Amino acid sequence: MIKRLLLASCSFALLAGATAHAADDADTRATKVVGQMTPDEKISLVHGIMAIKFFPGMVIPPEATIGAGFFPGVARVGVPAIRETDASLGVAYVGGARHDGATALPSSLATASTWNPEMAYRGGAVAGQEAWRIGFNVLLGGGVDLARDPRNGRNFEYLGEDPLLAGTLAGEAIRGTQDQHVVSTIKHYAMNDEETGRTFLNAKISEAGARESDLLAFEIAIEHGHPGSVMCSYNQVNGVYACENDWLLNGVLKHDWSYPGWVMSDWGAVHSVGAALNGLDQESGEQIDDHVYFNKPLAAKVQADPAYAKRLDDMDHRIVRSLYAVGAVDNPPQKTPLDLAAGKAAAQTVEEEGIVLLRNEGGLLPLLVNAKSIAVIGGHADMGVISGGGSSQVAPPGGPSVTDTLGGEGSLPSMLKAMYMPSAPLKAIRAATTAAVSYDSGRYPSRAAANAAKADVAIVFVTQWMTEAYDAPDLSLPSGQDALIEAVAAANPHTIVVLETGGPVLMPWLDKVGAVVEAWYPGIGGAEAITNVLFGKVDPSGHLPLTFPASIEQTPRPVLPGADLPEKTHFDVDYVEGSDVGYRWFAKMGAKPLFPFGFGLSYTHFAYSGLTVARGASPKVSFTVQNTGSVAGADVPQVYLLAEPHRSQQRLIGFQRVTLNPGESRKVEVSIDPRLIADWDEAGHRWRVDAGDYKIAVGASASDLSLTGDLKASSAVVKP
Ligand code: BGC
């Protein structure tokens, strides 16, 4: 592991060095610089354009880098232009405005499925390095909203449903990016957990519910990764827009968490100049707002009101100190060719660790290299692997191998274009075997079934395309693909389904197929990664970062809020589950999911023994993991809290990825962050651990807990 970590950092180490020094004196340098700025210069840093020619009449300054955002900077005092690009899955193509291409990483859900902070770091480093080489100094990557609804169109950009897992991995991705001297932006703060009505919906949630879930994910990620900026979200939280929400911005973020960086708005999320007093530091994509609030209106307020003048200095200070802190001033971007081979290798490794084996009856997988015939069916597997849509969309150099225009519906047709990365599973499978490999598009289930019947094994590739701005109406596989699988499975008992989905789907055919592999959106190394897992070159080791429900009725909101309302009708989303998101809700309701959070099979087996729980300010849980099978593999034992003194409540409180040879054992020790066993005490404004008996369990998923132990805790409080 350590060796791999070293190798991973070596390939992206060329820029490391000056960060620590830069972070030390970032505040001192920012104070000096902001002190020299004129009122106009101060205003120029806090509002900026979306730097694409999408908007009629808009002039893009020639010095801008085409991308999500541009601010000219203040060269006179050494503040560079701010050049922003999306996002977490690589440098985005901005709706076609950039043609140069970049490395397409697997979706963030694939990264989350690795449960491996090193993989998150590696992806963040690739995106950061490529951004730097193209000329950007701010990456809008670091999505960490929790998956509260399996239909959320952006779940693929986020890291699942648990605050510890999502927060830890987001923090590492941010570190990876910022080690390349590019500011990383954690987003969308906060409770931006569905896309339907995202620009106005009102998320209703108790303070404790928010602090113990979505906000905890942000808190952990910010502590680990120290992102230079935070992007506030479009939606309202408890009746106030997130980008002018004093409680979220001034209270939680800047006061309680002492966050020193800057808060930028999402594109079109500003509603008033007063947002400045409530904690917003910068207006982004100003053409999209109904007015530009942070130029003339803010300048007028600054002239008239000392509170605004003080805030403007603070807003500028926060921006400039973050640029210094990550080394963006001392190590400005240098236009350099991208190392696409290194990017692809990283993308493939992340995907290999992130693929989740969900079913494997009778050891159908790994495939025998000497199988005589294989029928590959569907999913454009002859051309590539699908990716998710919206602002995070990355286009590879040379463009996608397939573009499926699904437009027409909805108000954002440019978002409705599915793109496939040129990484064709059919080609990779053919290269891996001597078997005769046929291909059928799957357009006619009867023909696909006839082809499957002629082969030893059938591999059906199915896709569920998801995108920013739209949620899925339900959890079915679209375009008749369920019927395709049914037909193929009826024709061939050795049917393997490879899912390329943006989140959980239902599997009405599950009992009829031999194996199911969840490959998420696989990225540019997807074909090789999937093939290596299918043929056992790589042991599958991914674990689900979110629950796959057996039906939508099991989730807190079977009817998607807003889906049944005319467009633009304001509505509330009542987060009745509070912090019991995903598996916690299932545990509370006693519901059995299709596949539980944390689940993932391997080609080997693991056993856990010897649980000990040591009390203390950060309790320590230790146990032994053994590989009891016959091949090497990686496991992710998970530690859960099952009950507190006054109630039962399941929560992930620790995890560790362990790679073991056959027969090998390792003792695992996990320190528990006290906030994970505490409750948020609203009246006391603190985390409170009640004295008494806590039940702890270790297992292979949220529903498979083989070891249990007790923790007798003393009462404790943790200040935010
Ligand atoms: C998205 C953000 C993105 C921004 C800039 C918004 O619509 O919500 O995630 O960073 O656009 O492209």
Side-chain angles (χ1 to χ4, degrees):
M1 185 74 101
I2 291 171
K3 198 167 146 214
R4 277 167 61 189
L5 188 60
L6 285 175
L7 282 176
S9 24
C10 279
S11 34
F12 298 103
L14 83 168
L15 302 173
T19 313
H21 161 75
D24 288 344
D25 59 5
D27 279 299
T28 318
R29 293 170 81 182
T31 304
K32 198 166 156 212
V33 161
V34 175
Q36 293 165 10
M37 281 161 53
T38 66
D40 283 351
E41 287 168 346
K42 287 180 187 173
I43 288 285
S44 75
L45 267 192
V46 299
H47 70 95
I49 57 165
M50 183 163 197
I52 57 170
K53 293 201 182 95
F54 179 74
F55 299 95
M58 178 81 215
V59 180
I60 305 295
E63 67 275 21
T65 306
I66 298 302
F70 176 73
F71 303 76
V74 187
R76 192 182 66 78
V77 293
V79 177
I82 297 175
R83 300 169 195 276
E84 299 175 338
T85 177
D86 286 297
S88 310
L89 311 181
V91 176
Y93 88 134
V94 238
R98 294 201 67 86
H99 304 287
D100 43 355
T103 295
L105 294 164
S107 65
S108 294
L109 276 183
T111 303
S113 300
T114 70
W115 294 57
N116 186 350
E118 186 193 324
M119 288 300 117
Y121 179 94
R122 213 165 158 185
V126 169
Q129 192 193 63
E130 293 193 358
W132 189 90
R133 288 181 173 209
I134 292 171
F136 295 107
N137 51 15
V138 177
L139 184 80
L140 307 174
V144 76
D145 296 282
L146 293 190
R148 280 179 183 267
D149 196 302
R151 294 159 295 194
N152 180 0
R154 293 187 95 171
N155 277 340
F156 74 91
E157 287 188 59
Y158 304 138
L159 294 152
E161 67 192 22
D162 179 78
L164 174 63
L165 178 63
T168 307
L169 297 185
E172 283 303 301
I174 290 163
R175 261 188 359 96
T177 297
Q178 295 199 159
D179 280 355
Q180 305 303 315
H181 304 305
V182 170
V183 171
S184 184
T185 309
I186 193 167
K187 68 187 188 185
H188 307 88
Y189 186 73
M191 311 301 308
N192 184 180
D193 298 336
E194 70 165 62
E195 290 297 284
T196 305
R198 67 170 173 163
T199 53
F200 49 77
L201 73 78
N202 177 31
K204 281 173 66 180
I205 188 162
S206 68
E207 179 176 357
R211 292 268 192 176
E212 295 167 6
S213 60
D214 288 56
L215 295 187
L216 185 54
F218 277 94
E219 189 176 1
I220 292 172
I222 290 171
E223 284 166 9
H224 280 240
H226 305 288
S229 54
V230 171
M231 187 190 294
C232 51
S233 56
Y234 287 121
N235 53 288
Q236 302 182 52
V237 178
N238 294 329
V240 184
Y241 279 107
C243 286
E244 56 186 43
N245 193 309
D246 178 65
W247 170 67
L248 275 178
L249 303 179
N250 286 331
V252 177
L253 180 69
K254 292 183 179 175
H255 178 269
D256 294 349
W257 301 344
S258 307
Y259 178 67
W262 92 90
V263 178
M264 65 168 77
S265 69
D266 201 340
W267 275 230
V270 186
H271 300 274
S272 69
V273 66
L277 291 187
N278 290 351
L280 179 66
D281 298 307
Q282 194 182 52
E283 180 175 16
S284 326
E286 64 187 26
Q287 312 98 313
I288 307 174
D289 287 322
D290 53 2
H291 297 286
V292 182
Y293 293 99
F294 280 17
N295 61 1
K296 287 188 184 137
L298 181 61
K301 290 277 187 195
V302 167
Q303 289 252 310
D305 184 343
Y308 276 90
K310 191 162 168 236
R311 260 301 282 147
L312 181 60
D313 282 349
D314 180 47
M315 291 153 78
D316 281 311
H317 181 96
R318 287 170 173 275
I319 296 166
V320 175
R321 60 83 44 207
S322 280
L323 294 174
Y324 279 124
V326 305
V329 182
D330 298 326
N331 298 276
Q334 302 289 333
K335 289 208 170 101
T336 332
L338 306 188
D339 188 348
L340 293 164
K344 181 177 173 183
Q348 182 179 330
T349 307
V350 175
E351 173 66 3
E352 283 174 348
E353 288 198 10
I355 288 173
V356 186
L357 179 61
L358 293 174
R359 179 177 169 89
N360 193 15
E361 287 303 286
L364 177 55
L365 290 175
L367 284 171
L368 298 174
V369 186
N370 60 1
K372 288 210 173 49
S373 53
I374 299 175
V376 173
I377 295 161
H380 288 304
D382 58 332
M383 300 292 284
V385 289
I386 200 166
S387 58
S391 59
S392 68
Q393 178 79 64
V394 177
S401 52
V402 179
T403 308
D404 212 347
T405 302
L406 307 158
E409 345 128 30
S411 50
L412 287 167
S414 67
M415 296 270 186
L416 294 166
K417 218 190 304 169
M419 284 177 23
Y420 286 68
M421 298 300 123
S423 175
L426 178 64
K427 189 170 165 214
I429 290 171
R430 284 194 168 134
T433 175
T434 52
V437 182
S438 65
Y439 180 70
D440 184 292
S441 71
R443 282 211 296 142
Y444 294 97
S446 59
R447 191 185 62 196
N451 282 331
K454 287 186 238 154
D456 293 341
V457 176
I459 309 176
V460 190
F461 285 81
V462 287
T463 60
Q464 178 215 30
W465 180 71
M466 302 278 268
T467 182
E468 175 179 342
Y470 298 96
D471 296 315
D474 58 42
L475 297 181
S476 62
L477 280 171
S479 311
Q481 294 175 102
D482 284 327
L484 172 67
I485 297 170
E486 295 272 1
V488 172
N492 190 322
H494 301 135
T495 294
I496 298 156
V497 176
V498 178
L499 298 163
E500 294 172 20
T501 68
V505 287
L506 301 178
M507 302 179 203
W509 33 260
L510 185 61
D511 293 344
K512 298 176 192 150
V513 303
V516 181
V517 170
E518 174 57 88
W520 311 109
Y521 296 148
I524 195 65
E528 291 79 5
I530 293 168
T531 304
N532 285 345
V533 167
L534 292 177
F535 286 91
K537 216 166 161 186
V538 167
D539 183 58
S541 61
H543 288 256
L544 294 179
L546 77 186
T547 308
F548 275 45
S551 84
I552 199 69
E553 272 64 41
Q554 294 179 319
T555 65
R557 282 163 296 282
V559 176
L560 185 75
D564 49 353
L565 298 173
E567 237 188 316
K568 300 200 171 125
T569 312
H570 282 225
F571 60 89
D572 291 343
V573 184
D574 210 346
Y575 286 118
V576 286
E577 72 278 26
S579 64
D580 288 324
V581 181
Y583 66 92
R584 301 176 178 187
W585 174 259
F586 277 72
K588 193 168 171 180
M589 305 310 283
K592 192 173 177 304
L594 184 64
F595 291 105
F597 174 79
F599 180 81
L601 301 171
S602 149
Y603 296 147
T604 187
H605 298 281
F606 299 95
Y608 309 141
S609 61
L611 173 66
T612 61
V613 183
R615 52 195 295 191
S618 293
K620 287 200 172 40
V621 174
S622 64
F623 52 94
T624 299
V625 192
Q626 186 181 15
N627 180 346
T628 56
S630 53
V631 293
D635 188 30
V636 183
Q638 301 147 43
V639 185
Y640 290 93
L641 171 72
L642 294 186
E644 299 177 38
H646 311 301
R647 59 174 165 166
S648 62
Q649 183 181 47
Q650 187 162 0
R651 285 181 184 171
L652 180 75
I653 56 173
F655 63 89
Q656 201 166 105
R657 204 182 145 89
V658 193
T659 303
L660 295 170
N661 286 319
E664 196 185 354
S665 309
R666 180 132 355 116
K667 189 168 174 193
V668 172
E669 272 189 352
V670 180
S671 288
I672 309 302
D673 181 330
R675 288 172 298 188
L676 298 168
I677 57 170
D679 291 323
W680 177 257
D681 170 2
E682 290 188 12
H685 197 75
R686 59 191 183 171
W687 296 97
R688 200 191 62 236
V689 180
D690 289 332
D693 295 323
Y694 289 72
K695 191 142 275 332
I696 308 280
V698 172
S701 79
S703 313
D704 176 7
L705 304 168
S706 48
L707 304 177
T708 51
D710 297 306
L711 168 69
K712 214 173 225 343
S714 318
S715 67
V717 292
V718 184
K719 282 285 177 197

